[in-house]
Amino acid sequence: MPKSANPLLAIGKRADRKGREQPGPHNHPLKTFTYWVALPTVLVYVAVCALVLFTLALMTSELNRIDADRGEKAITAALDSLVRQLGEITIDEATWTEAYLNTYVAFNPAWLDGSWGTTARQGQGYDLAVVTNADGEILFGESNRGALTGNISDHFAAPKALFGALGKAVEAAGDDTHVSGLSTGKFGIAALAAAVIHGNTGQAPIAASERRVLWMAKHIDEQMLQEFSQRFQIPLLRLATGASPGEANRPLIDASGAEMGMLVWLPLRPGDPAFLNAASIASVVLLCIGALTFAVLMAFRRSVERRAESEERDWHSARYDGVTGLHNRFGLEESLSRLVPRKGGETAVAVALIGFDGLRDVTSSYGQETTDKLLDALADRIDEATEGQAIFARTGPDEFALCRVGEEAERLIRAFAGKVLALMNEPVVVDDLRLKLGTSIGIAEAACARTTIAEPLRMADAALQRARETGGNHVIVYDVSLKEERQHRLAMQADIRRGLDADEFDLEYQPIVDFGTSTIIGVEALLRWNRRAGGRMSPGEFIPAAEASGLIEDLGLFALRRACRDIVRLTSLKLSVNVSTVQFRSPTLSRRIDAILAATSFPPERLQLEITESFLLAQPERAKVAIEELRSRGIAIALDDFGTGFSSIGYLQQFSFDRVKLDRSLIEDVDVDPVKAALVESTMVFAFAMGLSVTVEGVERREEAATLTRLGCREFQGYLFSKPLPLESLERLLRTQAPLRKAG
């Protein structure tokens, strides 16, 4: 199959790994916020603003309408008042005995002029006074514009209609009545009133043909309209034939019913300034509400953005490693599950787990930033080895995974594992450092459905664990025996944890004697599991299981704490405690030891920690730092099992030890083997030359003790003197010192 056809080619490549910009969860919180929160809020706000302004506009319109109605009614009332008052003046002037005598009995123009003409010329109350006969012929006429002659109809358009109305009124109510109305005339529109002149002393009704009619008029001019406006508190009126836009009007109808023109005026519109004032206040309030709403929406939007960013980060962090940009274990399983058929069937999945030993020590020595760069460089190397032809993931702090799906999966994964192992023979360059790590690889293949996609990863993990336990720097392929061992190891780890929680572990103490002074100078604390629920288990069984699982740290701290508490009161003894390689790698070891010494009041000068050369081989630089840090506190450091390795002599020069403990394998049969005797003697000379103390372990025969004494050894530990003892037995031994007498 060509590379471009493989769907796995794009997964785990460097561009994707570095960019870390894979799409997150397919939701759009900002769109949701926009369409379901922001937009409805804005629409509601706009609707509220529109409703407020619309309400104000309605109130303004209603206020203006009410004022316009009031103004129109006031103007109508003013015109009616003008016409009515003119009629009342006319009937009042016509109902006068002297007027009757001077018009009917003896027509006296001079009297008429003195009574009515003078007033008309002055325009007080009326500006025209005319006396006519029943046919409208003017018998006397005077106005503020001069005398009038002819027929009254020559000067006004309404007399004919008024004559008819007056006749009907007289027939109905007698002579003591009048008529009035509006009319056009030579001098414009005027209010015109007519009444039959008659006496007020009870004369007989006057025949229609003999009637003398008094006409009075008041012209509607600009001056009169100004007086109207002031008197009736109405807008300024003007006469016009039509109204301009925005003007109100009232038609003027003469007595005959014909339209003569109209009064027009600009309405006061008191609602407009009220609207402006109310709208200004409402606008400020609405703007404040809008600003507050905007601020709340922006804060809510920012909160949504932060939540979306957080969800995106959580989505990525759940699936991708933050240092290398690779899939993490969950992301790897998710990617693999997408390549397996959704329904039915299984697919072959091959996995290679690549474990690196020593990353913790790199972090302790050079810091997390250097470790991150190292991890990135390791990812580059694996990219180089696989050429992007596998799903690439970081499944643990010091583990990477390569996965393939399909028929050729296992063959390709094995080939990739071989390439990676070969590449890791060379140190990794990080800044100015050349770092070399141990590499162990576990491989597994299984036919998987979506529900069992994690199974090959668990199998590869078991193979990786076996590769590490068997020295590392090689590949282990999973088989059924590893599963059984893994299950046994998991059961053992669970049992150890339960034993710690149940306080089933004890300590025994093996004396260390000074053969020259015949005294016990110290003891070595040895962990025992004699009270185990499932039966006694030897340290050779549970210590390796604890080291493999990391529980050795808890066991080691338990042993140190219990030993310090037991031996603190035995002030003549020094205490020696074994520290595992796993413990020594921990950057918190010194702080934990300080805490235990402080809690038990145990002097650090009485404490000796024993380490093996395996830690020195794996991390020499870290070992130097850890040893110096502990020695600075007054704690002695002993190299345990000296003589079992290949380069132990060199370590005595390279590291700052206080004591060397010779292993049983070096001194066994020393009394009969001259080669071993020579080795022991040379080691003693070398150690004493460097100022180191020497303790011989595993001394079981008197002949061995005698020969070692002759070679310069003084401190012994072994069954010849005493086996490991419980605390009570040790205390009895200290009181009797019996082992020394037996050895002597």
Side-chain angles (χ1 to χ4, degrees):
M1 179 185 295
K3 291 181 181 179
S4 59
N6 193 327
L8 300 179
L9 297 186
I11 302 176
K13 285 189 176 180
R14 183 174 178 82
D16 292 340
R17 180 169 66 82
K18 289 295 185 182
R20 293 197 294 274
E21 295 175 353
Q22 296 81 356
H26 300 291
N27 56 2
H28 304 282
L30 288 182
K31 282 188 177 180
T32 302
F33 167 80
T34 300
Y35 291 124
W36 295 99
V37 178
L39 185 59
T41 302
V42 171
L43 291 177
V44 169
Y45 174 73
V46 171
V48 169
C49 292
L51 181 62
V52 170
L53 295 177
F54 179 70
T55 302
L56 291 176
L58 283 180
M59 293 173 62
T60 298
S61 176
E62 184 64 16
L63 187 60
N64 288 337
R65 186 193 64 78
I66 291 173
D67 183 75
D69 289 347
R70 185 194 67 80
E72 186 174 354
K73 290 178 180 178
I75 291 170
T76 300
L79 285 174
D80 292 344
S81 174
L82 172 66
V83 173
R84 185 178 63 255
Q85 287 180 2
L86 184 64
E88 290 174 353
I89 291 173
T90 301
I91 188 62
D92 185 59
E93 293 292 335
T95 307
W96 190 9
T97 299
E98 288 190 27
Y100 176 82
L101 295 175
N102 287 286
T103 54
Y104 286 97
V105 177
F107 190 78
N108 186 356
W111 184 90
L112 296 178
D113 184 68
S115 297
W116 298 325
T118 301
T119 302
R121 284 192 294 273
Q122 294 175 352
Q124 297 177 356
Y126 53 90
D127 54 21
L128 180 147
V130 173
V131 177
T132 68
N133 59 18
D135 296 326
E137 295 294 331
I138 297 176
L139 304 178
F140 169 82
E142 193 64 44
S143 72
N144 61 354
R145 293 178 176 82
L148 282 77
T149 59
N151 195 289
I152 187 66
S153 296
D154 297 335
H155 301 279
F156 292 96
K160 182 178 180 180
L162 290 176
F163 264 127
L166 181 61
K168 292 179 180 179
V170 170
E171 288 179 4
D175 293 334
D176 195 16
T177 187
H178 70 279
V179 293
S180 60
L182 297 177
S183 177
T184 56
K186 289 183 177 181
F187 303 110
I189 298 174
L192 182 65
V196 176
I197 299 173
H198 61 282
N200 55 358
T201 56
Q203 292 96 331
I206 301 171
S209 60
E210 299 296 328
R211 290 174 184 162
R212 298 288 186 268
V213 179
L214 175 63
W215 301 82
M216 289 187 173
K218 181 66 175 177
H219 285 87
I220 300 175
D221 54 18
E222 183 177 349
Q223 181 179 357
M224 193 202 75
L225 292 177
Q226 287 181 349
E227 292 176 357
F228 258 34
S229 297
Q230 293 174 358
R231 185 189 311 170
F232 294 99
Q233 295 295 306
I234 57 177
L236 183 62
L237 304 172
R238 65 182 181 87
L239 289 169
T241 56
S244 300
E247 290 184 322
N249 64 87
R250 183 190 184 284
L252 297 176
I253 307 299
D254 69 2
S256 64
E259 185 174 337
M260 302 176 293
M262 61 180 62
L263 285 176
V264 297
W265 67 92
L266 281 173
L268 295 178
R269 298 185 65 84
D272 291 350
F275 174 81
L276 291 177
N277 292 333
S280 298
I281 296 172
S283 297
V284 172
V285 173
L286 290 174
L287 283 175
C288 292
I289 295 174
L292 181 61
T293 303
F294 178 78
V296 171
L297 285 177
M298 291 304 294
F300 192 13
R301 185 179 187 276
R302 182 57 187 151
S303 175
V304 170
E305 284 181 338
R306 285 196 295 267
R307 182 174 179 181
E309 292 169 359
S310 176
E311 289 178 352
E312 185 76 10
R313 285 193 300 270
D314 292 344
W315 189 90
H316 277 280
S317 63
R319 291 162 176 81
Y320 295 93
D321 173 49
V323 175
T324 62
L326 296 170
H327 287 294
N328 57 21
R329 192 174 188 112
F330 175 77
L332 174 62
E333 292 181 10
E334 189 176 63
S335 297
L336 287 173
S337 66
R338 287 198 293 265
L339 300 174
V340 175
R342 185 180 296 274
K343 292 183 179 179
E346 293 182 335
T347 300
V349 178
V351 178
L353 284 185
I354 306 167
F356 297 102
D357 298 322
L359 277 175
R360 282 172 128 198
D361 301 315
V362 172
T363 304
S364 301
S365 301
Y366 305 111
Q368 187 62 48
E369 183 178 356
T370 300
T371 303
D372 292 346
K373 291 180 180 179
L374 175 59
L375 287 168
D376 209 44
L378 291 172
D380 289 343
R381 284 202 175 186
I382 298 173
D383 272 342
E384 181 182 344
T386 62
E387 298 179 350
Q389 299 301 302
I391 301 178
F392 190 15
R394 184 186 178 201
T395 55
D398 55 0
E399 289 180 6
F400 289 93
L402 293 172
C403 301
R404 285 282 305 197
V405 174
E407 295 179 359
E408 296 292 315
E410 185 177 17
R411 181 185 64 80
L412 290 172
I413 285 297
R414 289 195 184 203
F416 294 152
K419 289 182 180 180
V420 171
L421 203 59
L423 284 173
M424 291 309 300
N425 287 329
E426 295 296 325
V428 182
V429 178
V430 177
D431 296 332
D432 297 330
L433 302 173
R434 292 171 61 83
L435 304 172
K436 194 168 188 305
L437 301 176
T439 306
S440 303
I441 302 178
I443 294 177
E445 183 192 31
C448 299
R450 286 201 170 194
T451 55
T452 60
I453 202 67
E455 185 60 26
L457 290 170
R458 288 193 291 268
M459 294 160 58
D461 188 57
L464 173 60
Q465 189 67 31
R466 167 58 71 85
R468 281 176 158 163
E469 291 173 356
T470 53
N473 293 311
H474 63 286
V475 177
I476 293 290
V477 180
Y478 178 85
D479 59 32
V480 178
S481 65
L482 291 179
K483 181 178 181 181
E484 295 172 355
E485 290 181 7
R486 182 173 181 270
Q487 291 175 343
H488 176 71
R489 184 171 58 253
L490 292 175
M492 177 69 74
Q493 293 168 6
D495 201 17
I496 292 172
R497 171 58 65 191
R498 183 199 54 75
L500 276 171
D501 294 339
D503 195 25
E504 293 178 354
F505 289 92
D506 297 307
L507 288 181
E508 292 184 353
Y509 301 94
Q510 187 169 33
I512 301 172
V513 301
D514 186 328
F515 201 71
T517 61
S518 300
T519 57
I520 298 176
I521 60 173
V523 292
E524 179 181 357
L526 301 170
L527 195 61
R528 297 291 185 263
W529 198 2
N530 297 329
R531 295 185 291 115
R532 177 172 171 265
R536 180 181 180 277
M537 182 177 288
S538 69
E541 293 181 84
F542 69 80
I543 292 295
E547 288 180 336
S549 64
L551 288 171
I552 192 64
E553 290 195 60
D554 293 336
L555 277 175
L557 293 174
F558 162 79
L560 179 61
R561 187 181 301 106
R562 175 70 64 81
C564 288
R565 189 179 65 194
D566 289 348
I567 305 301
V568 66
R569 65 180 181 274
L570 305 177
T571 57
S572 63
L573 297 183
K574 288 192 175 183
L575 173 63
S576 186
V577 179
N578 288 286
V579 179
S580 72
T581 300
V582 176
Q583 284 180 275
F584 239 101
R585 284 176 177 167
S586 173
T588 62
L589 177 63
S590 297
R591 293 197 298 272
R592 291 183 174 183
I593 291 175
D594 289 342
I596 290 174
L597 295 178
T600 58
S601 301
F602 195 90
E605 296 79 11
R606 292 176 55 196
L607 178 63
Q608 176 177 275
L609 301 180
E610 300 182 10
I611 63 172
T612 61
E613 66 175 323
S614 59
F615 178 53
L616 309 180
L617 277 168
Q619 295 294 324
E621 295 300 324
R622 169 61 185 154
K624 286 181 181 180
V625 174
I627 290 171
E628 289 299 331
E629 187 175 6
L630 291 169
R631 292 185 76 242
S632 67
R633 289 165 164 76
I635 299 171
I637 305 297
L639 178 59
D640 196 14
D641 299 335
F642 186 84
T644 58
F646 297 99
S647 56
S648 295
I649 293 292
Y651 293 144
L652 299 181
Q653 290 180 307
Q654 188 176 355
F655 299 96
S656 302
F657 293 109
D658 298 285
R659 182 176 300 276
V660 177
K661 298 192 74 173
L662 303 185
D663 189 70
R664 167 69 182 167
S665 62
L666 184 61
I667 61 95
E668 186 177 10
D669 296 329
V670 69
D671 56 317
V672 296
D673 189 339
V675 175
K676 286 190 175 182
L679 285 174
V680 171
E681 185 176 16
S682 62
T683 301
M684 297 292 296
V685 171
F686 191 82
F688 290 151
M690 294 185 62
L692 302 177
S693 301
V694 178
T695 300
V696 182
E697 295 182 295
V699 181
E700 297 180 356
R701 295 186 298 112
R702 294 184 180 183
E703 293 78 10
E704 291 171 348
T707 301
L708 291 169
T709 302
R710 179 175 55 80
L711 294 175
C713 297
R714 295 188 57 185
E715 297 181 10
F716 297 95
Q717 179 181 349
Y719 274 36
L720 176 62
F721 304 97
S722 176
K723 65 179 181 180
L725 302 170
L727 179 62
E728 298 79 4
S729 299
L730 174 65
E731 291 175 334
R732 287 195 300 270
L733 177 62
L734 289 174
R735 289 193 294 269
T736 63
Q737 293 289 303
L740 295 186
R741 290 194 294 273
K742 180 167 63 173

